[in-house]
Amino acid sequence: MIAREYAESWLEKTQGALLRTMGLKKHFPVLGGVLKRPVAWVRAVDGVDIWIQRGETLGLVGESGCGKTTLGRTIIRLLDPTEGHIFYDLPEETIKRIIEAEERGDKQELKRLREQFDLAAMKGKKLKEYRRRMQIVFQNPLTALNPRMMVKDIVAEPLVVQRIAKGEAAMERVLEALQAVGLGREHLRRYPHEFSGGQRQRIAIARALVLRPEFLVLDEPTSAVDVSVRARLLKLLGELQEKYGLTYLFISHDLSQVQVISDRVAVMYLGKIVELADTQTIFEKPLHPYTQALFSAKPVPDPVLARKKKRIVLKGDVPSPVNPPSGCRFHPRCLKRFEPCDKEEPHLIEVEPGHWVACHLYPPG
Ligand code: SF4
């Protein structure tokens, strides 16, 4: 249930965004006992509010297991959300109608509106329509590309599945997508193993582009390739964004890459967003203690600056998402924790224009 006051200010702040999530959750059951019933829940994504403007790149960072990939997959409905909303290219007026129906407790109207407009609740044909507009590039092209299929069939597959084109028309679209990523007609009849890691990732990008989407989730798209190829892939992604007006959610643990490609950066810890700001602000002045620690580990190319830089070493491991700590989830590892931190959960608030932090060090107002 969204508190109306919060929702209204949220809508004002996120005006015109292509994608907005509100209270988005994805929990996975831990099955146990003879009957294999859920005995606990892994709270991989646990109440995430983010927004992405059209044509923008939002970088998503955090340690392994913090929920970044699950969030990316839930947003484009590769995974079904447990709770919450995903508003994609939806006018504020329609979102308000959904919030009002929720507040009134009008279950029938809420169900009708959500199935029609809320990506988190869509099904069947409607969901398929939206999926066409949102695609994903996976981390490892070796596992994402079927080794027994030729490139022409791999790239054409989404067109066939969505029944958009076949035969000659499909091949034209395939060629167009391949050329956009720097490949060509001569690659159509080859198999994935005949390509280098960088070229394989280009094929994966072409497959995502063939449906002419607006929004791409890039899930660690350069982590499986050599360092020398990474810069070229990042450049390609930037060019494609400009050419096609794409919007990106760029998921990575590589802070240097995130800094290069992102307009804004969101930091995730144990299923929640703890800080969000434009790239320059967050790298120059991180406010959340977790972000400060995470960013202090970023390599500095200048050896003099590197020597001066103070690294914040966090003690302890990331707690289990099955049983996250009470209050602020970061409190067992936080060097700045104080009285309310283990009891009260901090909420994401705007502490400076465009700079959002979830930490009791920055109280509202
Ligand atoms: Fe640290 Fe408290 Fe802020 Fe959490 S709320 S990050 S424990 S200071």
Side-chain angles (χ1 to χ4, degrees):
M1 174 87 172
I2 312 165
R4 192 194 180 93
E5 216 174 287
Y6 171 74
E8 276 177 1
S9 79
W10 176 253
L11 277 180
E12 207 186 297
K13 296 285 178 196
T14 62
Q15 239 178 22
L18 176 67
L19 177 107
R20 290 176 256 220
T21 70
M22 289 180 97
L24 190 63
K25 294 184 183 179
K26 177 63 192 172
H27 297 172
F28 296 98
V30 179
L31 303 177
V34 186
L35 297 174
K36 294 276 174 243
R37 290 217 174 111
V39 289
W41 293 89
V42 177
R43 302 185 201 180
V45 173
D46 207 18
V48 164
D49 299 344
I50 54 165
W51 70 101
I52 311 179
Q53 297 291 349
R54 204 178 279 274
E56 182 186 44
T57 298
L58 178 70
L60 184 61
V61 299
E63 288 164 292
S64 297
C66 69
K68 307 186 291 288
T69 292
T70 306
L71 176 60
R73 291 178 188 200
T74 309
I75 281 175
I76 58 164
R77 283 295 306 271
L78 280 184
L79 296 169
D80 288 338
T82 306
E83 213 180 294
H85 303 272
I86 306 167
F87 300 127
Y88 185 81
D89 197 14
L90 206 57
E92 275 81 28
E93 276 315 305
T94 315
I95 301 177
K96 273 186 197 160
R97 276 168 62 201
I98 295 175
I99 293 165
E100 279 163 11
E102 193 162 78
E103 207 183 47
R104 284 198 310 273
D106 187 342
K107 285 189 185 163
Q108 232 176 343
E109 174 71 349
L110 183 63
K111 187 169 180 281
R112 191 187 69 76
L113 286 170
R114 289 197 68 202
E115 282 180 1
Q116 205 181 344
F117 299 114
D118 185 345
L119 188 55
M122 279 180 200
K123 292 180 191 143
K125 225 170 134 192
K126 189 90 191 164
L127 177 60
K128 207 168 163 187
E129 258 171 49
Y130 272 80
R131 277 217 184 115
R132 196 184 297 175
R133 300 168 69 183
M134 320 166 95
Q135 292 294 307
I136 185 166
V137 176
F138 294 103
Q139 183 172 359
N140 189 350
L142 244 195
T143 51
L145 305 178
N146 187 332
R148 290 196 202 95
M149 284 169 83
M150 282 193 265
V151 167
K152 69 180 179 65
D153 299 318
I154 290 173
V155 179
E157 203 179 20
L159 293 172
V160 177
V161 172
Q162 291 271 356
R163 296 191 195 174
I164 290 172
K166 55 181 181 179
E168 264 308 297
M171 274 315 111
E172 260 177 46
R173 295 268 295 254
V174 168
L175 198 55
E176 184 192 312
L178 283 177
Q179 283 166 345
V181 299
L183 298 172
R185 195 179 288 277
E186 66 277 20
H187 299 111
L188 285 171
R189 295 185 171 275
R190 294 200 201 158
Y191 290 90
H193 72 267
E194 296 176 64
F195 294 88
S196 66
Q199 284 176 318
R200 278 196 289 265
Q201 198 55 300
R202 283 173 190 257
I203 297 167
I205 296 170
R207 187 176 59 179
L209 287 181
V210 79
L211 288 173
R212 297 179 184 153
E214 302 155 339
F215 176 67
L216 286 187
V217 172
L218 303 164
D219 187 3
E220 307 260 13
T222 61
S223 64
V225 297
D226 293 344
V227 178
S228 59
V229 181
R230 280 182 197 164
R232 289 208 289 276
L233 274 178
L234 283 189
K235 188 167 172 272
L236 172 69
L237 289 168
E239 287 166 359
L240 292 172
Q241 184 171 42
E242 212 172 300
K243 188 171 174 189
Y244 298 113
L246 294 166
T247 304
Y248 292 154
L249 175 64
F250 185 83
I251 301 170
S252 182
H253 63 269
D254 185 328
L255 296 174
S256 305
Q257 286 185 42
V258 169
Q259 191 170 14
V260 168
I261 200 169
S262 308
D263 297 299
R264 287 185 304 136
V265 176
V267 181
M268 201 165 177
Y269 184 78
L270 216 58
K272 291 195 175 275
I273 301 295
V274 295
E275 186 161 1
L276 198 157
D278 69 80
T279 307
Q280 193 181 353
T281 305
I282 205 164
F283 275 94
E284 282 178 4
K285 198 182 148 198
L287 295 179
H288 195 282
Y290 174 65
T291 315
Q292 289 168 350
L294 188 73
F295 285 17
S296 77
K298 180 179 172 282
V300 178
D302 182 334
V304 181
L305 286 178
R307 245 178 279 133
K308 283 187 191 161
K309 195 174 167 192
K310 203 174 142 213
R311 175 142 189 221
I312 304 166
V313 182
L314 292 175
K315 294 210 176 84
D317 296 326
V318 183
S320 163
V322 173
N323 192 13
S326 60
C328 170
R329 292 183 175 196
F330 186 56
H331 87 257
R333 301 170 80 197
C334 183
L335 303 171
K336 296 182 180 169
R337 68 172 175 263
F338 58 109
E339 185 41 49
C341 296
D342 60 342
K343 293 176 193 76
E344 288 167 31
E345 187 183 336
H347 297 289
L348 203 60
I349 55 158
E350 194 176 24
V351 296
E352 285 164 14
H355 196 158
W356 298 70
V357 187
C359 172
H360 290 309
L361 291 170
Y362 310 95

